[in-house]
């Protein structure tokens, strides 16, 4: 787990590292991605430092999707992806929760993705659903 003191996103929030800020509130910070997949690719982050989504208090997440929606409208993106990765195996590069808003203007720009579907027995799926519901 990365510490807040060493975290590049925490340094951006504090102003120690410059960014192309798009929005800021008491809880969140939004800025343009410096390695964009397409024009308008932006990041929305909670100011509360946490590596994975489960590390962030619910109240620190409350503005995330409304701001992502505002970015979609502001960029005029008709097709777009909202992406949030947790952990290195899941392709998280920075150890601070962040949401990508990635416009998909055409086949070559934006997020490219594979979706390796797996076959599953419906009884097994039902049992899994029951197990998950019981823990919520």
């Amino acid at each position: 787990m990365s510490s807040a003191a060493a975290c590049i996103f925490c340094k951006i929030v504090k102003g120690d590292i410059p960014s192309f800020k798009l929005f800021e509130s008491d809880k969140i910070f939004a800025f343009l991605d410096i390695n964009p997949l397409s024009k308008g690719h932006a990041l929305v982050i909670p100011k509360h430092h946490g590596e994975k989504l489960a590390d962030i208090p619910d109240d620190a997440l409350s503005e995330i999707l409304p701001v992502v929606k505002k970015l979609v409208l502001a960029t005029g993106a008709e097709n777009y992806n909202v992406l949030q990765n947790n952990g290195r195996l899941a392709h998280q590069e920075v150890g601070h929760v962040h949401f990508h808003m990635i416009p998909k203007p055409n086949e070559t720009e934006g997020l490219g993705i594979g979706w390796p579907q797996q076959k599953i027995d419906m009884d097994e799926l039902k049992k899994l659903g029951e197990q998950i519901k019981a823990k919520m």
Side-chain angles (χ1 to χ4, degrees):
M1 184 177 278
S2 65
S3 74
C7 174
I8 189 169
F9 286 172
C10 289
K11 290 177 181 180
I12 287 172
V13 168
K14 289 188 338 188
D16 295 342
I17 295 176
S19 69
F20 297 101
K21 180 170 60 171
L22 300 171
F23 181 88
E24 183 174 13
S25 73
D26 291 342
K27 297 178 182 179
I28 66 164
F29 195 91
F31 55 100
L32 289 172
D33 194 309
I34 62 169
N35 295 301
L37 299 181
S38 60
K39 184 178 178 180
H41 179 172
L43 300 172
V44 181
I45 66 172
K47 288 184 173 179
H48 180 97
H49 178 79
E51 188 169 341
K52 295 182 180 177
L53 190 61
D55 299 331
I56 307 296
D58 289 349
D59 70 321
L61 295 169
S62 63
E63 296 177 22
I64 297 281
L65 287 179
V67 170
V68 170
K69 180 180 174 182
K70 288 178 184 181
L71 288 170
V72 167
L73 296 171
T75 61
E78 291 184 33
N79 300 287
Y80 54 91
N81 296 93
V82 176
L83 178 67
Q84 199 277 314
N85 302 324
N86 292 274
R88 291 283 180 198
L89 274 178
H91 308 287
Q92 183 180 10
E93 295 295 323
V94 176
H96 185 118
V97 168
H98 55 287
F99 291 73
H100 294 262
M101 192 291 289
I102 309 166
K104 183 72 173 158
N106 55 52
E107 290 293 324
T108 58
E109 294 177 79
L111 184 64
I113 190 167
W115 203 268
Q117 296 179 354
Q118 300 177 12
K119 300 283 184 194
I120 189 165
D121 176 76
M122 289 299 120
D123 289 334
E124 186 180 334
L125 191 59
K126 179 180 177 183
K127 182 179 176 184
L128 177 61
E130 291 169 356
Q131 291 171 346
I132 293 170
K133 279 195 313 189
K135 293 179 181 178
M136 290 185 73

